[in-house]
Amino acid sequence: LGSRARHSPSAPAAPQTSSLAMRAVLGRHAGALAPSPCSVQIRCKTAGKTRFNDLRRRANETHIDYLRQLTPPKAQRQVEVDPKLQRPWDEVRQVFSHPELMRQPREDRPLKSLRTVLSQRFSGVLGRLDMEPFGALEVVHGDLFATDAEAVILPMTPNLCPYRGLSLEAFDRGGPDLVQCAFDTAKAQFENRLEALAGKENRQDVLMAGDVIVVPARGLPEHTKKIIFVIMPWFWQGSPMDAAKRFRFCVKRGLAEAAGPKGFSSVAMPNIGCGIFGYEPRSSSQIILEECVEALLQIEAQSPSYVLKKITLVDIRNETAEQLQDSLTEISHRWLPEHRLTTAPQYWSHQTRRLLVLPAVSNFFLRRQAVKFKKNHDVKRKAKQDYEGNVKSRLWRPHRVAQPPPFLVKQQSGEAAAQEFQPKARPYYFRGVSHWLFPVRRSGFHALRRSSQGQWVGRIQKVRIGEHTRPRM
């Protein structure tokens, strides 16, 4: 009908306003469906901000300060007691059957005296190492100022004004006379050094680490004649490696003064690196014991005197004394042949060794094989694939076998070593996980950690020397 009406001459013409209105409606719908340039620009800008925010958030989460602020990982679940093992009525029955457990002490019961509570108890001699005919080393848990020795080695600050520690206690015991004598001796040594180094550019106008000040003993027992003050360095004056070298130098200077031709037969000293100087007891104890052995044996002395016969290491803290005892045991394993350790396979292979007598003719073993095997000679074009497919799969490699650590015995007698000297067992890691992803909270100081007493102690780094390079007797 529409086509007929359109081609029919008698049909009226359609108005043009309807087609214009239809175009306007379609234009409005098309504009609503298609995005405008402004909306596209806003959407891209929002997506860019989100992307940069994600990058900034990821960078913050991977920062070390962010990891330090996290809560440390919880420990593994402890073993819980089954509640069925201790039932509630069993606890009630125990309370009523034994009323003395819940009975409070009487008010008129005398308590311990304050003198008994505050009095310190010492363990005495913890270990002794006899190195006859040179001398002996001894580790004692007790009071340094009550030790039977001719001289006492004490640490001292570079300004001769200790604010706490053994040096301050020695000044308190000696009084103003000891303080005046120490300052006069240091002044005399300082003036002699200035005269010797006059005109040189690199001279030091202060007391240096390792300087020794020998003064008469005042306020100490009668058998103690001299006090040897050693100027000690601070741990944080340099790297941990430098701290170890400076500490070893100071210990060597103090023992050299005591073991010299005008030295003493017996010397007592504490762990002079602990306390205000910041050295860790474990590593510093090992250095002290090594230098004590060298002072007794006079290894580096051009003209040895062998005056020093006994060195007593005394400390009032039980933990530090035990560290000295452990270092003494390790030194005994290194220097005394009867205390040296070796692995059980090496010991038994040495004990069961046999002598093989070889023939005089050199070509005795150069005979041809009686049985010959067929050999296929071909060119291997891919050596890597040939090794992985034909050699590596059939090759027995020791590192594939999870062998336990060797058992340590004494090198001469074959007796088993103590449990604390046996190597630790290799742990089994569940699903191959051996470490936590996030570290625990640590201090921000370089090579320092907080001890159980709340003090900052430094861990010195030393050069690890192999067993074959150590001196043997």
Side-chain angles (χ1 to χ4, degrees):
L1 293 177
S3 59
R4 291 178 182 178
R6 185 168 57 248
H7 295 284
S8 176
S10 62
Q16 297 182 359
T17 55
S18 61
S19 61
L20 295 177
M22 183 63 67
R23 291 178 184 178
V25 171
L26 291 177
R28 285 198 301 269
H29 284 284
L33 294 176
S36 62
C38 184
S39 61
V40 173
Q41 185 178 1
I42 294 175
R43 189 176 306 165
C44 295
K45 188 175 181 181
T46 306
K49 283 188 176 180
T50 306
R51 177 172 174 271
F52 284 114
N53 290 337
D54 292 343
L55 293 177
R56 197 176 294 106
R57 178 180 54 82
R58 293 170 187 172
N60 292 334
E61 291 179 355
T62 55
H63 199 272
I64 184 61
D65 292 336
Y66 180 83
L67 297 180
R68 288 174 178 172
Q69 295 175 4
L70 294 178
T71 305
K74 297 182 180 180
Q76 297 182 359
R77 186 177 181 181
Q78 303 293 337
V79 179
E80 297 181 357
V81 181
D82 190 358
K84 296 181 180 179
L85 298 179
Q86 189 74 9
R87 296 173 295 183
W89 46 86
D90 290 340
E91 296 181 359
V92 175
R93 187 180 297 109
Q94 182 179 4
V95 170
F96 284 99
S97 300
H98 303 277
E100 64 276 3
L101 299 177
M102 306 297 295
R103 187 177 303 165
Q104 298 294 331
R106 303 189 308 271
E107 296 182 0
D108 56 346
R109 181 179 178 180
L111 302 177
K112 294 183 179 180
S113 61
L114 188 61
R115 184 186 301 273
T116 305
V117 174
L118 297 180
S119 61
Q120 297 180 349
R121 298 181 180 180
F122 303 112
S123 303
V125 180
L126 298 182
R128 181 182 175 87
L129 177 60
D130 294 325
M131 307 184 69
E132 297 296 338
F134 302 99
L137 291 174
E138 200 174 49
V139 177
V140 179
H141 175 225
D143 188 7
L144 176 65
F145 298 102
T147 308
D148 186 7
E150 293 185 3
V152 178
I153 301 178
L154 296 177
M156 177 56 69
T157 56
N159 58 355
L160 300 183
C161 296
Y163 60 92
R164 67 182 181 90
L166 295 174
S167 301
L168 180 60
E169 185 176 354
F171 279 171
D172 292 341
R173 289 172 178 264
D177 296 338
L178 179 60
V179 177
Q180 184 66 32
C181 183
F183 272 85
D184 293 342
T185 306
K187 183 179 180 181
Q189 294 182 3
F190 179 71
E191 292 177 353
N192 295 336
R193 179 185 299 171
L194 290 181
E195 294 178 0
L197 300 178
K200 295 185 179 180
E201 298 179 357
N202 297 330
R203 67 177 187 178
Q204 297 287 340
D205 295 342
V206 295
L207 290 176
M208 297 183 297
D211 291 345
V212 179
I213 303 174
V214 183
V215 295
R218 301 176 185 271
L220 299 181
E222 298 179 357
H223 49 263
T224 304
K225 301 178 181 179
K226 296 288 184 178
I227 298 179
I228 302 176
F229 290 110
V230 182
I231 305 300
M232 294 294 299
W234 309 99
F235 173 81
W236 45 86
Q237 292 178 343
S239 64
M241 186 71 70
D242 296 339
K245 295 179 181 179
R246 291 194 302 269
F247 181 74
R248 185 181 294 273
F249 174 73
C250 295
V251 176
K252 183 179 295 185
R253 289 291 301 271
L255 292 174
E257 183 69 24
K262 299 181 181 180
F264 312 95
S265 60
S266 60
V267 172
M269 64 178 299
N271 191 331
I272 59 178
C274 297
I276 62 177
F277 300 102
Y279 287 87
E280 189 184 21
R282 182 177 180 180
S283 53
S284 58
S285 299
Q286 188 174 1
I287 293 179
I288 291 176
L289 265 300
E290 291 175 358
E291 295 300 325
C292 288
V293 171
E294 294 186 3
L296 287 179
L297 302 181
Q298 297 286 308
I299 297 177
E300 299 181 357
Q302 297 181 357
S303 57
S305 59
Y306 299 109
V307 176
L308 185 60
K309 294 297 182 182
K310 183 181 179 181
I311 300 178
T312 306
L313 301 174
V314 189
D315 206 287
I316 198 171
R317 295 182 66 252
N318 189 22
E319 294 79 5
T320 307
E322 290 179 354
Q323 294 291 344
L324 291 171
Q325 167 60 18
D326 295 342
S327 302
L328 179 66
T329 307
E330 184 178 353
I331 290 296
S332 66
H333 291 167
R334 184 187 309 176
W335 286 94
L336 297 184
E338 61 272 12
H339 291 175
R340 290 177 182 171
L341 302 179
T342 183
T343 60
Q346 293 179 356
Y347 172 78
W348 288 111
S349 63
H350 182 76
Q351 294 295 327
T352 58
R353 60 184 177 178
R354 295 293 182 266
L355 181 64
L356 298 179
V357 181
L358 299 178
V361 183
S362 60
N363 58 352
F364 181 79
F365 297 101
L366 299 180
R367 296 180 180 179
R368 293 183 177 273
Q369 299 179 0
V371 180
K372 295 183 179 181
F373 297 92
K374 182 181 179 181
K375 298 181 180 179
N376 297 324
H377 298 277
D378 54 353
V379 179
K380 299 179 178 60
R381 300 186 181 277
K382 298 181 180 180
K384 181 179 179 181
Q385 294 182 2
D386 175 71
Y387 173 77
E388 293 179 353
N390 302 329
V391 181
K392 186 177 180 180
S393 59
R394 298 175 178 84
L395 185 64
W396 184 86
R397 290 177 290 173
H399 66 269
R400 281 191 173 186
V401 183
Q403 296 180 352
F407 186 71
L408 298 182
V409 297
K410 293 186 177 180
Q411 190 173 2
Q412 289 189 352
S413 61
E415 299 178 1
Q419 183 179 2
E420 56 269 15
F421 297 102
Q422 297 291 344
K424 296 182 180 180
R426 296 188 178 94
Y428 169 73
Y429 298 123
F430 179 67
R431 294 182 179 177
V433 178
S434 59
H435 300 81
W436 293 100
L437 177 60
F438 300 102
V440 297
R441 296 179 179 177
R442 300 173 182 175
S443 64
F445 294 94
H446 177 62
L448 293 177
R449 67 175 183 84
R450 188 184 296 274
S451 63
S452 58
Q453 284 74 26
Q455 300 177 354
W456 290 105
V457 295
R459 302 185 62 181
I460 59 181
Q461 298 179 0
K462 301 182 300 180
V463 179
R464 297 183 178 272
I465 304 178
E467 186 68 26
H468 60 279
T469 60
R470 292 175 180 174
R472 298 180 181 272
M473 296 182 64

